[in-house]
Amino acid sequence: MSMARAAEPPGIAAGINQIEGYLLLQGERDAARERARRLTGRLDWLTSAQRAEVERVYVQDQLAVTEQTLRTVVRRCEELRAEYQEVYRTLRRRLLLTCLLGAAALAGGLGAALTVR
């Protein structure tokens, strides 16, 4: 999800994601149909029914491959998000600890300087 989309209400972002998914699927379906037509175009010995069946099976297979690929990408994105969130939490804790230690050292130094006078 983009930074701009993160600021949108969850329902709107989900709707946009659904539309994007639909358009992606339609684009892939169109591309698979075109690849199927090019393939069957080279097989001039096929009957019209055979050509249609080969194209149908090819498109179906290509969409299954696309779906599996997208599921793999989504799973990996979720894994990376979890890893990055954990790294971010660790860095944030370290920064807070460093700031607290720095503030304590500064307060201790000021206290010592004031008692020396």
Side-chain angles (χ1 to χ4, degrees), residues 33-44 46 51 54-55 58:
R33 283 182 183 143
E34 180 56 34
R35 289 190 303 270
R37 281 188 210 109
R38 282 196 314 261
L39 172 68
T40 59
R42 293 184 302 223
L43 306 174
D44 56 358
L46 290 174
R51 184 178 314 277
V54 168
E55 288 176 7
Y58 183 91

Side-chain angles (χ1 to χ4, degrees), residues 68-81:
Q68 183 57 43
T69 301
L70 289 174
R71 288 184 191 281
T72 300
V73 169
V74 166
R75 186 173 49 253
R76 183 62 183 142
C77 287
E78 290 168 352
E79 291 170 358
L80 287 172
R81 177 182 294 150

Side-chain angles (χ1 to χ4, degrees), residues 46-98:
L46 290 174
T47 66
S48 295
Q50 290 170 331
R51 184 178 314 277
E53 180 63 10
V54 168
E55 288 176 7
R56 185 192 67 75
V57 170
Y58 183 91
V59 169
Q60 183 180 9
D61 184 59
Q62 288 296 293
L63 292 178
V65 168
T66 297
E67 181 180 357
Q68 183 57 43
T69 301
L70 289 174
R71 288 184 191 281
T72 300
V73 169
V74 166
R75 186 173 49 253
R76 183 62 183 142
C77 287
E78 290 168 352
E79 291 170 358
L80 287 172
R81 177 182 294 150
E83 289 175 26
Y84 289 144
Q85 285 175 340
E86 183 56 34
V87 167
Y88 175 73
R89 280 192 290 273
T90 299
L91 290 172
R92 196 173 57 204
R93 282 191 297 264
R94 287 180 186 169
L95 179 61
L96 178 61
L97 180 61
T98 301

Side-chain angles (χ1 to χ4, degrees), residues 11-22:
I12 292 174
I16 290 172
N17 285 339
Q18 285 181 331
I19 291 169
E20 286 178 343
Y22 174 80

